[in-house]
Amino acid sequence: MASPLPYALITGCAAWAIYLALVGKSSAAELAAGLVVATTVTAALLFVRRESRHHFQIDLRWISRLRGLPLQVLRDCAVVYAAILRRPSRARGSGRFGERDFHAGNEHPAARSRRALVICGISLAPNTYVLGSLGLPEGKLLIHQLVPEKSRGHDPQWPL
């Protein structure tokens, strides 16, 4: 495994910055308290990272696959809000379950990371969320759509 020092520095600085942003003060006491909180958070995360049996490995090229998500979220918000405005009394219970092709891959850290990104990416937009692969054949994801849409072709590696 790579050296934990870069991870610890980034995590510690991020935790300290978040603490200071939430407190809204920069007095000496708050700066010191922020360092204590950041050190505690970093130590806990390093411990969990070391003891975990599940490791992840993200390829930075995958970020380009996620570039359409903000537009998808806006589009799905419009679809859901339009359905609510169109028929508020029938908006509840009008969703449907479906399935989507998805090649999950093996237990390699990169495959785990891709699965997590895909499931979070699909579930980010408000109209569709992933329930898992409960009772479905291998290579399928169970999804729920609040406003059913026509199924469009998806890449089974990245069905976003």
Side-chain angles (χ1 to χ4, degrees), residues 122-141:
I122 292 171
S123 299
L124 180 67
N127 190 38
T128 306
Y129 60 93
V130 175
L131 295 166
S133 57
L134 305 169
L136 292 178
E138 186 71 27
K140 300 281 187 184
L141 281 178

Side-chain angles (χ1 to χ4, degrees), residues 107-127:
E107 289 303 310
H108 187 272
R112 276 195 191 116
S113 302
R114 184 181 58 83
R115 276 196 304 274
L117 284 173
V118 166
I119 289 171
C120 289
I122 292 171
S123 299
L124 180 67
N127 190 38

Side-chain angles (χ1 to χ4, degrees), residues 3 5 15 17 46 49 76 93 115-116 137 146 149 153-154 160:
S3 169
L5 185 61
L46 285 172
R49 184 176 185 224
D76 274 12
R115 276 196 304 274
L146 298 171
E149 296 177 326
H154 295 283
L160 299 174

Side-chain angles (χ1 to χ4, degrees), residues 55-74:
H55 297 284
F56 295 92
Q57 178 182 348
I58 294 183
D59 185 345
L60 292 178
R61 292 175 293 189
W62 293 348
I63 302 302
S64 68
R65 302 258 187 187
L66 306 176
R67 68 181 176 272
L69 283 180
L71 185 60
Q72 179 69 27
V73 168
L74 290 174

Side-chain angles (χ1 to χ4, degrees), residues 99-113:
E99 57 185 53
R100 194 171 281 180
D101 290 330
F102 179 51
H103 295 180
N106 55 20
E107 289 303 310
H108 187 272
R112 276 195 191 116
S113 302

Side-chain angles (χ1 to χ4, degrees), residues 9-28:
L9 287 172
I10 291 170
T11 303
C13 289
W16 193 38
I18 290 170
Y19 177 86
L20 292 176
L22 290 174
V23 169
K25 297 178 187 175
S26 60
S27 67

